[in-house]
Amino acid sequence: MKKYSEMNTIELTTLRDELLNELSGHKEKGKKLNMTRGVPSDEQLALCNDMLTCLAKDDYKAANGADCRNYGGLDGIPEIKKIFAELLEISPDEVIVGCNSSLALMFDNVAVNMSHGVRDGTPWQKQGQVKFLCPSPGYDRHFAICNYFHIEMVPIAMGQDGPDMDAVEHHVSTDPMVKGIWCVPKYSNPTGIVYSDETVRRFAQLKPAADDFRIYWDNAYGFHDLHARAKIPNIIRLCEEAGRPNMVYEFASFSKVSFAGASVTCMASSKSNCEYILKRLTAQTIGPDKLTQLRHARFFKDAQGVMSHMEKHAAILKPKFKLVSDTLNRELKDLGIASWTEPAGGYFVSFDALDGCAKKIVSLCADAGVSLTPAGATYPNGQDPKDSNIRIAPTFPPLNELEEALGIFCTAVKLASAEKYLAG
Amino acid sequence: MKKYSEMNTIELTTLRDELLNELSGHKEKGKKLNMTRGVPSDEQLALCNDMLTCLAKDDYKAANGADCRNYGGLDGIPEIKKIFAELLEISPDEVIVGCNSSLALMFDNVAVNMSHGVRDGTPWQKQGQVKFLCPSPGYDRHFAICNYFHIEMVPIAMGQDGPDMDAVEHHVSTDPMVKGIWCVPKYSNPTGIVYSDETVRRFAQLKPAADDFRIYWDNAYGFHDLHARAKIPNIIRLCEEAGRPNMVYEFASFSKVSFAGASVTCMASSKSNCEYILKRLTAQTIGPDKLTQLRHARFFKDAQGVMSHMEKHAAILKPKFKLVSDTLNRELKDLGIASWTEPAGGYFVSFDALDGCAKKIVSLCADAGVSLTPAGATYPNGQDPKDSNIRIAPTFPPLNELEEALGIFCTAVKLASAEKYLAG
């Protein structure tokens, strides 16, 4: 196939007209196809249907004797703390188990650091304009938390090994108003890359200008491998070894392990941070839902049970990611108009179109019935400086719908690219 | 029986020695009896054990077709919104259903009003020293939220009809830094009184000096009648009629309806307030646990189902409240050393000892193996100005243990009172 950059105006015009024609054909079919968000499919959810019935009427006591039906217990029942601790390779007293939303744990954590400060420090909001480093493209809901709290977002370039650590080190060590950084260390949202060991080590060895700088380590896809398990170094242990045991908050979730809307989530940090946080939780909540925790503990049994279960998810997801890869390679590979990632886990493929084409592609897809995450959403304030990045979320649609959606997507990419070259 | 105030020193000394003797007898038994908090008993929790198994493997769709296993839905599934709406006599779009802790909903609501202001107003924390009116004795965890946010608590006297409304009206209408008031309108914690119709009407007709003043209407015991259902006027409708539809946030919970640690809770307010809050929740959470909501909807079916279920709770609780009343009347009635409430619902009996005796009584009980809520906890900052109020929570212990605990309690009351008269 010929590169678009090598086509002349006549070739491009012919191509554009064909593509326009093709897209309007899709439009007429009136399909509604959805690739917007990282949502598990029905087939994946069904893997856990036995959890709906896994408690008997007389099964409500946790290992420590706690009645999971009644009040009590702010940090989670022992069984589920143990599972999270084993998965994250930390100690159970470094884990606080929450309800069903790790986003809520992160929001809450930022909220209290803004209003009350980190541990006994000055509230962030009283120190001036707070800044967070935002490796980009990144997760739009991290950025939404910053937006809500009027936190200035400093974009940091993402590479194959993680964020640009020279830039991270520079900002963190020189600017005391840099109070946090958002990280998705494994199968990063949306690029799908895994932070290298060296990147993780450099994180742990950060020497912040601000004592109250914190790493928000959103390990959202820590168990979500498509193939062999990718291991990343243990950030909690490394921070401890580097003499800054309280510098990191790690978050993990079973949203994409069991039921996306009804799972359990956790926050992990130094024992000292956990103790500090539990004091606040006493004023804040009666505690997390222990019956949901117990159901998870009964169903998965242990960390190995979770990892085995994740293989079933992988079996469902692999063909979808392969379909994305195969389709993009077949349709777009040699045209010089796009690049994309081929992640070994997680929920997304990150797609880079020609500069200035992302919004156009998303809009063309929408017209033809395919919903995508809004272009720009992967950047702070929704502003992709190059207007090139698109997040593809292939997990929710069944294979046949995904195939159809990807076909339309590729047509839209080609059309936007042809139009760009035509416009000169 | 003779009033303590009429006893001479010899009589009091003899009495004191007998009581000391009695208490040390209890101490030697080494029992651990708990009347600290409003916790349902095992027997009450068992009323809902069928909820543990009420979903089949293929039962996860809500009435609106939402898959309760998956993401989506910030305000709750239609079934559970409808149940809360019927119970509170409002519309489902005036209800946002949360997870298992109404305390968390209240904390969260205060947090965002502090940091971001009420609707689009100036954040409370930027306006100066925020004050909340605190009808006292009241609920210690309301006061703990104020403490956490450094909100000044203004105690308001509680009477038989609710808070001293002259004082409430005065503060609210003259002081623009009064931003909130905590109310438990039905079976108030701890006094057990029900706000009169007139009190509720005066609340709705408040003319606050601050536009961003809000009533925190914690209807924690709205369905928790021991006898006939006590009705209070609908504060949401009354505020609407008074032209201030956004002035009240109501909270309700099934913690003491189904499972204390694993129920569903809600916030109710004007449709406009709910819409405003849902915008924030988009940044804050992936939404509440819909499977727990579905279990509640399946188990209770409708509002009538909840009310019928509450009769079963009443049947268990009535003998306990009767035991408290009978014991206190038998042991203390004519001694002139105490008064107490005889509530027709809720979870507490409020007990007033002689001034200066509450801490002593709680401490004597602790020594003899009976745990009570710390004296003073029912007042802002834990400071009961008269040191006389004690909250008795009779719901958790089985009847035989409650009887034993009440016996020790009465002995402690008598001892502290005798010592007070001896000290002159």
Side-chain angles (χ1 to χ4, degrees):
Chain A
M1 282 201 264
K2 201 168 181 180
K3 283 206 163 102
Y4 280 28
S5 58
E6 292 161 4
M7 289 187 186
N8 62 33
T9 306
I10 294 167
E11 287 170 317
L12 284 167
T13 308
T14 310
L15 178 64
R16 182 198 56 193
D17 293 346
E18 283 170 15
L19 293 163
L20 272 171
N21 209 25
E22 204 176 309
L23 264 192
S24 65
H26 287 301
K27 202 170 170 175
E28 277 162 24
K29 287 189 199 154
K31 283 278 178 82
K32 292 284 161 216
L33 303 164
N34 192 326
M35 292 198 297
T36 50
R37 300 212 68 90
V39 172
S41 62
D42 291 353
E43 198 182 354
Q44 287 176 272
L45 295 167
L47 294 174
C48 270
N49 279 355
D50 283 346
M51 196 192 286
L52 293 169
T53 58
C54 74
L55 290 187
K57 276 177 204 174
D58 59 353
D59 185 11
Y60 43 73
K61 287 272 173 93
N64 60 352
D67 186 330
C68 294
R69 302 169 306 175
N70 217 333
Y71 289 120
L74 280 174
D75 56 341
I77 62 172
E79 293 93 322
I80 205 76
K81 280 171 68 107
K82 185 158 178 277
I83 290 177
F84 273 122
E86 282 181 26
L87 288 169
L88 302 175
E89 299 182 322
I90 54 177
S91 150
D93 55 16
E94 293 168 319
V95 174
I96 297 173
V97 185
C99 283
N100 66 324
S101 173
S102 62
L103 185 70
L105 296 180
M106 293 181 240
F107 181 98
D108 193 43
N109 186 299
V110 172
V112 300
N113 286 346
M114 286 296 286
S115 66
H116 285 70
V118 169
R119 299 171 65 104
D120 292 321
T122 309
W124 284 351
Q125 70 193 5
K126 287 200 177 159
Q127 297 184 44
Q129 176 59 56
V130 174
K131 300 176 197 169
F132 263 48
L133 304 185
C134 295
S136 305
Y139 179 33
D140 55 349
R141 299 189 84 159
H142 289 160
F143 304 156
I145 291 175
C146 283
N147 256 322
Y148 185 76
F149 289 102
H150 311 297
I151 293 172
E152 184 183 328
M153 290 179 267
V154 181
I156 299 287
M158 277 293 279
Q160 283 307 304
D161 292 330
D164 174 347
M165 289 308 294
D166 291 341
V168 170
E169 285 164 355
H170 170 72
H171 287 289
V172 170
S173 66
T174 59
D175 186 348
M177 288 316 296
V178 169
K179 300 299 188 188
I181 181 167
W182 293 112
C183 297
V184 182
K186 201 173 146 181
Y187 307 129
S188 177
N189 179 347
T191 69
I193 65 103
V194 178
Y195 286 17
S196 71
D197 291 5
E198 178 61 13
T199 295
V200 179
R201 266 186 227 108
R202 287 174 75 175
F203 265 107
Q205 278 155 20
L206 284 172
K207 291 169 190 63
D211 277 349
D212 54 0
F213 166 82
R214 289 297 180 261
I215 301 166
Y216 285 74
W217 196 255
D218 183 3
N219 202 353
Y221 308 103
F223 338 120
H224 304 61
D225 311 271
L226 290 175
H227 313 289
R229 184 165 192 197
K231 289 270 288 180
I232 53 170
N234 183 328
I235 186 78
I236 290 181
R237 283 291 85 76
L238 288 179
C239 283
E240 187 177 60
E241 284 161 28
R244 290 188 180 76
N246 302 325
M247 188 168 65
V248 63
Y249 306 121
E250 182 168 7
F251 302 89
S253 165
F254 283 173
S255 285
K256 295 177 182 92
V257 174
S258 62
F259 297 133
S263 77
V264 293
T265 65
C266 84
M267 173 168 171
S269 195
S270 65
K271 190 178 169 206
S272 167
N273 272 352
C274 288
E275 285 167 355
Y276 190 88
I277 288 164
L278 285 169
K279 266 188 271 174
R280 159 173 54 86
L281 287 178
T282 309
Q284 184 166 5
T285 175
I286 57 137
D289 184 323
K290 295 188 293 297
L291 283 175
T292 303
Q293 295 183 6
L294 190 67
R295 282 191 186 89
H296 280 75
R298 292 287 186 267
F299 182 80
F300 289 120
K301 294 187 177 63
D302 52 27
Q304 183 51 51
V306 173
M307 292 313 299
S308 304
H309 188 81
M310 293 314 288
E311 291 174 18
K312 299 179 193 167
H313 281 287
I316 296 169
L317 290 175
K318 259 189 281 191
K320 295 190 178 180
F321 278 87
K322 184 167 186 301
L323 182 63
V324 176
S325 170
D326 289 351
T327 309
L328 297 180
N329 275 305
R330 186 184 67 235
E331 295 291 325
L332 304 174
K333 190 166 183 202
D334 297 318
L335 306 182
I337 57 174
S339 61
W340 54 89
T341 58
E342 308 228 348
Y347 266 61
F348 303 105
V349 169
S350 182
F351 184 92
D352 281 303
L354 295 175
D355 289 1
C357 286
K359 279 189 185 147
K360 177 75 185 177
I361 293 166
V362 170
S363 154
L364 289 170
C365 283
D367 285 346
V370 174
S371 305
L372 291 164
T373 310
T378 54
Y379 282 80
N381 303 309
Q383 301 297 324
D384 174 359
K386 293 184 182 169
D387 183 28
S388 68
N389 189 254
I390 296 172
R391 186 179 78 167
I392 299 176
T395 58
F396 184 68
L399 268 177
N400 61 329
E401 289 186 14
L402 181 63
E403 187 169 13
E404 209 167 351
L406 288 167
I408 294 171
F409 175 74
C410 288
T411 308
V413 171
K414 290 177 194 169
L415 177 57
S417 306
E419 284 182 341
K420 177 177 161 134
Y421 278 111
L422 274 171
Chain B
M1 284 201 263
K2 200 168 182 179
K3 284 209 164 102
Y4 281 28
S5 57
E6 292 161 5
M7 288 186 185
N8 62 31
T9 306
I10 294 167
E11 288 170 317
L12 284 168
T13 307
T14 311
L15 177 63
R16 182 199 54 192
D17 293 347
E18 283 169 14
L19 292 163
L20 271 171
N21 209 26
E22 205 175 309
L23 264 192
S24 64
H26 288 300
K27 203 170 169 174
E28 276 162 26
K29 288 190 201 155
K31 282 278 179 84
K32 293 284 161 216
L33 303 163
N34 192 327
M35 292 197 297
T36 51
R37 300 213 68 90
V39 172
S41 62
D42 290 353
E43 198 182 353
Q44 287 176 272
L45 295 168
L47 294 174
C48 270
N49 280 354
D50 283 346
M51 196 191 287
L52 293 168
T53 57
C54 75
L55 291 187
K57 277 178 203 172
D58 59 353
D59 186 11
Y60 43 73
K61 288 272 173 92
N64 60 352
D67 187 330
C68 294
R69 303 169 305 174
N70 217 333
Y71 289 120
L74 280 174
D75 56 342
I77 62 172
E79 293 93 324
I80 203 77
K81 281 172 66 108
K82 184 159 179 277
I83 290 176
F84 273 121
E86 282 182 27
L87 288 168
L88 302 176
E89 300 181 323
I90 53 178
S91 150
D93 55 16
E94 293 169 318
V95 174
I96 297 173
V97 185
C99 282
N100 66 324
S101 173
S102 61
L103 185 70
L105 296 180
M106 292 181 239
F107 181 97
D108 193 42
N109 186 298
V110 172
V112 300
N113 286 347
M114 286 296 285
S115 65
H116 285 70
V118 170
R119 298 172 65 105
D120 292 320
T122 309
W124 285 350
Q125 70 192 3
K126 288 200 177 159
Q127 297 183 44
Q129 177 59 56
V130 174
K131 300 176 197 169
F132 263 48
L133 305 185
C134 295
S136 304
Y139 179 32
D140 55 349
R141 300 191 83 161
H142 289 159
F143 304 157
I145 291 176
C146 283
N147 256 322
Y148 185 77
F149 288 102
H150 311 298
I151 292 171
E152 184 183 329
M153 290 179 268
V154 181
I156 299 287
M158 276 294 280
Q160 282 307 305
D161 291 330
D164 174 348
M165 289 309 294
D166 291 341
V168 170
E169 285 164 355
H170 170 72
H171 287 289
V172 170
S173 65
T174 59
D175 187 348
M177 287 316 296
V178 169
K179 300 299 188 188
I181 181 167
W182 292 113
C183 297
V184 182
K186 199 172 148 181
Y187 308 130
S188 178
N189 178 348
T191 69
I193 64 104
V194 178
Y195 286 17
S196 71
D197 291 4
E198 178 62 13
T199 295
V200 178
R201 265 186 229 109
R202 286 175 75 175
F203 264 108
Q205 278 155 19
L206 284 172
K207 291 169 189 63
D211 277 348
D212 54 359
F213 166 82
R214 289 296 180 262
I215 301 166
Y216 284 75
W217 196 254
D218 184 3
N219 203 353
Y221 308 104
F223 339 121
H224 303 60
D225 311 272
L226 290 175
H227 313 289
R229 185 166 192 195
K231 288 270 288 180
I232 53 170
N234 183 330
I235 185 79
I236 289 182
R237 282 291 85 77
L238 288 178
C239 283
E240 187 177 60
E241 285 162 27
R244 289 188 181 75
N246 302 325
M247 188 168 64
V248 63
Y249 306 122
E250 182 167 6
F251 301 90
S253 166
F254 283 173
S255 284
K256 294 176 182 93
V257 174
S258 62
F259 297 133
S263 78
V264 293
T265 65
C266 84
M267 172 168 174
S269 194
S270 66
K271 190 177 169 206
S272 167
N273 273 352
C274 288
E275 285 167 355
Y276 190 87
I277 288 164
L278 285 169
K279 267 189 270 175
R280 160 173 53 86
L281 287 178
T282 310
Q284 184 166 5
T285 175
I286 57 136
D289 185 322
K290 295 188 295 295
L291 283 176
T292 303
Q293 295 183 5
L294 191 66
R295 283 191 186 89
H296 281 75
R298 292 287 185 267
F299 182 80
F300 290 118
K301 294 186 178 65
D302 52 28
Q304 184 50 51
V306 174
M307 292 313 299
S308 304
H309 188 81
M310 293 314 288
E311 291 174 17
K312 300 180 192 167
H313 281 287
I316 296 170
L317 290 176
K318 260 188 279 190
K320 295 189 177 181
F321 278 86
K322 184 168 186 301
L323 183 63
V324 176
S325 170
D326 290 351
T327 308
L328 298 180
N329 276 306
R330 186 185 68 235
E331 295 291 325
L332 304 175
K333 189 165 184 202
D334 297 318
L335 306 182
I337 57 174
S339 61
W340 53 91
T341 58
E342 307 226 350
Y347 266 61
F348 303 104
V349 169
S350 183
F351 184 92
D352 282 303
L354 295 175
D355 290 1
C357 286
K359 278 188 186 148
K360 178 75 184 175
I361 294 167
V362 170
S363 154
L364 288 170
C365 282
D367 285 346
V370 174
S371 305
L372 291 163
T373 309
T378 53
Y379 282 79
N381 303 309
Q383 301 298 323
D384 173 359
K386 294 183 181 168
D387 183 29
S388 67
N389 189 253
I390 296 172
R391 186 178 78 166
I392 298 178
T395 58
F396 183 69
L399 268 177
N400 60 330
E401 289 187 14
L402 181 62
E403 187 169 16
E404 209 167 350
L406 287 167
I408 294 171
F409 175 74
C410 289
T411 308
V413 171
K414 291 176 191 168
L415 177 56
S417 306
E419 285 183 341
K420 176 176 163 137
Y421 280 110
L422 275 171

